[in-house]
Amino acid sequence: MKPILNVVTTIARKAGKIILQAHNDLDSINTTRKPDGTVVSNVDLAVENFIVENIKKSGFDNDFFITEENGEFGNKDSRFTWIIDPIDGTNNFVHGLPHCCISIGIRKEGELVLGVIYNPFLDLMFSAYKGEGAELNGKRIRASKAKDLKGTLISASLKYSRKIFKDSYVAEMVMLQQEIAGYRYSGSLAMDMAYLASGFVDGLWASGDVKIWDIAAGYVIAKEAGIVITDIKGNNNIENASVIIAANKKIQPK
């Protein structure tokens, strides 16, 4: 394992304790709405600040950061860009639903190379470095071996928007439902990407306003586990995609 992965997983595990502590006292969680209507809590901010501070203390104080809550800051000329979502699944978290995760990715000289996703409730640590494979709690993981869509579980965000889809979208969802075993919508895209990499679900269809902090870490982990990831037109550059399709190489094109 790359030494930097040890640094990031250690920080993520410590940050997870902040989430668990707040979950044990839901009255301590305060929420507001951002201009785009999404929810942010005081715990999101506390976790993000903790992660950034500890990254800087670990010798990366001259790097660039893209974070969900504090935006972009730091040295744009740095080789490394840290992409951080302190709590992916905030809506779940503020309702007391124990399904969310910390997501930390690194872009090195323009390429996503590291991903760490940590679910503190289940103590699931997903990690990957480009070319080194993907792991869950230290054990190698690989994508589902499904050969066709029959019997598959598909993670789908189910967000309908005429800006993205034609009116046939809902009809297509119904038709696909008849072929697969079912849809799963967890409320955490990063967590779903990690589950996809582990073979817990067979495919992923993410639609809507996908942000880089939602996908960066999961992208590296999934790719290292053998997942093919494109936008809905088959383009490989997914950083600004509004729709992401991901699965193993046999069923992703389907």
Side-chain angles (χ1 to χ4, degrees):
M1 177 184 286
K2 292 278 186 179
I4 194 170
L5 270 176
N6 286 327
V7 171
V8 182
T9 55
T10 297
I11 292 172
R13 196 176 297 279
K14 290 179 178 179
K17 293 180 181 179
I18 301 174
I19 294 175
L20 293 176
Q21 183 177 7
H23 182 263
N24 289 330
D25 182 14
L26 293 179
D27 289 338
S28 69
I29 302 174
N30 302 312
T31 63
T32 56
R33 288 199 176 271
K34 303 178 195 177
D36 64 1
T38 58
V39 175
V40 60
S41 76
N42 57 320
V43 185
D44 288 80
L45 294 169
V47 172
E48 183 169 293
N49 291 337
F50 177 89
I51 292 171
V52 171
E53 288 172 7
N54 280 271
I55 289 171
K56 290 183 175 182
K57 288 178 181 177
S58 299
F60 302 97
D61 54 317
N62 195 40
D63 287 346
F64 190 63
F65 293 83
I66 300 175
T67 69
E68 180 174 13
E69 310 308 340
N70 289 303
E72 301 183 6
F73 54 92
N75 178 16
K76 281 192 174 183
D77 296 324
S78 171
R79 294 175 64 203
F80 296 101
T81 296
W82 296 76
I83 304 169
I84 301 166
D85 191 341
I87 303 180
D88 189 66
T90 298
N91 263 323
N92 289 345
F93 172 69
V94 300
H95 281 84
L97 181 63
H99 184 83
C100 64
C101 65
I102 293 165
S103 176
I104 304 172
I106 294 180
R107 187 193 284 137
K108 180 182 178 182
E109 298 173 347
E111 182 181 17
L112 292 170
V113 297
L114 177 148
V116 167
I117 291 174
Y118 181 54
N119 179 333
F121 296 102
L122 298 177
D123 193 25
L124 299 177
M125 182 70 74
F126 301 86
S127 61
Y129 194 93
K130 182 177 172 59
E132 301 286 330
E135 295 184 349
L136 166 56
N137 291 345
K139 295 183 178 180
R140 188 63 62 92
I141 53 176
R142 292 293 296 174
S144 158
K145 296 180 180 180
K147 296 180 180 180
D148 53 53
L149 289 170
K150 185 177 180 180
T152 57
L153 284 178
I154 304 295
S155 167
S157 58
L158 307 180
K159 292 181 180 178
Y160 173 64
S161 168
R162 282 191 171 88
K163 293 181 180 179
I164 301 172
F165 297 110
K166 297 180 179 179
D167 288 340
S168 60
Y169 169 77
V170 176
E172 293 293 339
M173 293 288 289
V174 172
M175 288 176 63
L176 184 58
Q177 169 70 63
Q178 296 171 1
E179 188 170 355
I180 66 176
Y183 293 113
R184 295 294 181 267
Y185 177 29
S186 76
S188 170
L189 176 55
M191 200 74 257
D192 290 346
M193 289 290 287
Y195 286 167
L196 177 65
S198 304
F200 300 159
V201 295
D202 302 287
L204 180 144
W205 178 356
S207 60
D209 194 17
V210 178
K211 303 294 188 183
I212 185 59
W213 50 78
D214 296 322
I215 197 71
Y219 177 87
V220 179
I221 295 168
K223 291 283 284 186
E224 287 298 306
I227 294 293
V228 177
I229 308 171
T230 69
D231 68 10
I232 200 167
K233 295 181 180 179
N235 299 315
N236 292 320
N237 184 0
I238 52 85
E239 290 200 23
N240 296 310
S242 57
V243 183
I244 291 172
I245 309 294
N248 70 33
K249 63 182 181 181
K250 292 185 177 179
I251 68 171
Q252 197 267 359
K254 300 181 188 300

